[in-house]
Amino acid sequence: MSEEVIIVETTFHPVKWGSFIIRGLIALIIGILVLIWTNIAEQVVVTLIGILIIIAAILSLVLALKSPAGASRSVVLLVVGVLGLLVGIAAILRPWVAAAGLTVIIALLMLFFGFIDLTIAIFHPEYTKHQLLLGFSGALSVILGGLFFFLPALGAVVLVAVYLGIFAIIYGILSIAVGITVRKEQKDVTAG
């Protein structure tokens, strides 16, 4: 028996550090703009969600029309498609109403999970060694969920500012840091 040795050549393509810097700067700019113009950012996000819903609805309608006539699946797809079109169009025409609706859904989820966390922290301490943290997390979720539920317009603005604006800024800073690190490593490799 003979053993065959296969040699595979690979080429190493170094990461371009500049792309991280550019991506980070763009993310920083977007994050700052979102924080400055949160209302406009909220409208853009809701409009994009509306467009996404319309695309999904059209795909559902196409699948419904391709399904065998009378099949229960085709009826469900047809109903989902029509409802999706209505919701998507409403989100584009009335973004504030759609944003408030999405915020209420998020608020209900926050309330639900907040109460679960509080219940576990208070009544079932055997499930975790961190009852205080779990209780604090649950209380914060219930407070914010209640605020977002009773003031959905404010909640939508806060969600956009926090999740888009602050996330983009943090992401931008991290990307710039990665770019600087990669550049330094590449300089070290070429110097060494």
Side-chain angles (χ1 to χ4, degrees):
M1 291 188 174
S2 66
E3 289 184 26
E4 195 173 313
V5 177
I6 300 173
I7 299 174
V8 179
E9 275 191 43
T10 60
T11 21
F12 174 70
H13 297 288
V15 177
K16 304 289 184 194
W17 64 270
S19 64
F20 287 104
I21 301 288
I22 291 169
R23 185 171 64 184
L25 289 172
I26 291 170
L28 272 174
I29 291 167
I30 290 171
I32 291 167
L33 290 176
V34 165
L35 291 178
I36 292 172
W37 292 301
T38 306
N39 291 336
I40 294 171
E42 180 183 359
Q43 287 180 337
V44 169
V45 168
V46 172
T47 301
L48 290 174
I49 290 172
I51 291 169
L52 182 64
I53 292 170
I54 289 172
I55 292 169
I58 290 170
L59 292 174
S60 289
L61 290 172
V62 168
L63 286 174
L65 296 175
K66 287 187 173 187
S67 295
S72 62
R73 184 177 114 180
S74 65
V75 174
V76 171
L77 287 170
L78 188 64
V79 170
V80 167
V82 170
L83 288 175
L85 281 175
L86 294 174
V87 169
I89 291 169
I92 292 172
L93 296 178
R94 302 278 187 216
W96 293 107
V97 174
L102 287 170
T103 304
V104 167
I105 292 169
I106 292 169
L108 291 172
L109 288 170
M110 291 174 77
L111 287 167
F112 177 75
F113 288 111
F115 282 122
I116 287 175
D117 288 351
L118 282 171
T119 302
I120 292 171
I122 295 169
F123 298 110
H124 298 287
E126 66 273 11
Y127 291 133
T128 180
K129 294 179 182 178
H130 306 286
Q131 295 92 357
L132 188 62
L133 289 175
L134 190 60
F136 180 71
S137 168
L140 182 63
S141 188
V142 167
I143 290 168
L144 287 177
L147 179 69
F148 291 176
F149 184 79
F150 290 109
L151 300 169
L154 173 67
V157 171
V158 169
L159 286 171
V160 167
V162 169
Y163 286 116
L164 287 180
I166 293 175
F167 170 78
I169 290 170
I170 292 169
Y171 181 81
I173 291 168
L174 293 174
S175 290
I176 291 169
V178 168
I180 292 168
T181 304
V182 168
R183 181 171 185 234
K184 182 182 180 313
E185 288 174 355
Q186 287 176 351
K187 279 186 176 181
D188 292 345
V189 168
T190 56

